[in-house]
Amino acid sequence: RPVYCSNVAYDENGKPVAPRYATEAAYVAAVDDGFAIDPAVYVDPSTGTSYMTWGSGVLHTVALDPTTRHLVAAADLADGSGPGKDDMDDTNVYKVISRGINEFNEAPYVHFHEGYFYLWVNWFACCAGRCST
């Protein structure tokens, strides 16, 4: 079963079968999800819970199951077919941790140091040659 894929419908065996929306942009507009790229895992040292963060435009974080390291069961679609957000209000599991300026930021990385979590992200110019951020 895939860990996360934004615009994918799954069959009864958890295999990807088709897009849920006609385009990735239509999916993003429907569920306010950004794009599912740049995953990174971090651990909360106070609880031992592992999380995955990812995104472009809208950055999310979600808990991982302590045994399987897959997304927690609550992260599945309402129909149970696989992971994903059902709509814009599906934020109990998929926490939004950042929104980009003009909807752009990407490649999140969370680091814990001396009691604080630090979020590192790329703003604006990821692929601009010598002007990259």
Side-chain angles (χ1 to χ4, degrees), residues 18-42:
R20 290 172 57 205
Y21 293 85
T23 66
E24 193 72 12
Y27 173 80
V28 171
V31 298
D32 187 34
D33 207 23
F35 294 93
I37 64 170
D38 301 328
V41 174
Y42 66 98

Side-chain angles (χ1 to χ4, degrees), residues 57-59 97-108 119-128 131-133:
V58 180
L59 306 181
I97 57 175
S98 178
R99 290 185 186 278
I101 298 170
N102 296 323
E103 296 301 319
F104 185 87
N105 62 355
E106 65 182 6
L119 173 62
W120 301 83
V121 305
N122 180 338
W123 296 95
F124 294 111
C126 71
C127 307
C131 296
S132 295
T133 55

Side-chain angles (χ1 to χ4, degrees), residues 86-124:
D86 287 297
D87 57 48
M88 284 191 177
D89 297 325
D90 192 3
T91 57
N92 292 340
V93 176
Y94 292 96
K95 303 290 186 196
V96 173
I97 57 175
S98 178
R99 290 185 186 278
I101 298 170
N102 296 323
E103 296 301 319
F104 185 87
N105 62 355
E106 65 182 6
Y109 179 77
V110 176
H111 177 72
F112 182 84
H113 180 71
E114 296 183 359
Y116 293 93
F117 289 94
Y118 295 88
L119 173 62
W120 301 83
V121 305
N122 180 338
W123 296 95
F124 294 111

Side-chain angles (χ1 to χ4, degrees), residues 36-94:
I37 64 170
D38 301 328
V41 174
Y42 66 98
V43 176
D44 179 342
S46 67
T47 65
T49 303
S50 295
Y51 296 86
M52 182 176 69
T53 186
W54 73 91
S56 176
V58 180
L59 306 181
H60 289 83
T61 191
V62 67
L64 300 178
D65 181 277
T67 303
T68 65
R69 296 295 189 242
H70 288 255
L71 298 183
V72 292
D76 279 353
L77 295 164
D79 67 8
S81 64
K85 287 175 69 176
D86 287 297
D87 57 48
M88 284 191 177
D89 297 325
D90 192 3
T91 57
N92 292 340
V93 176
Y94 292 96

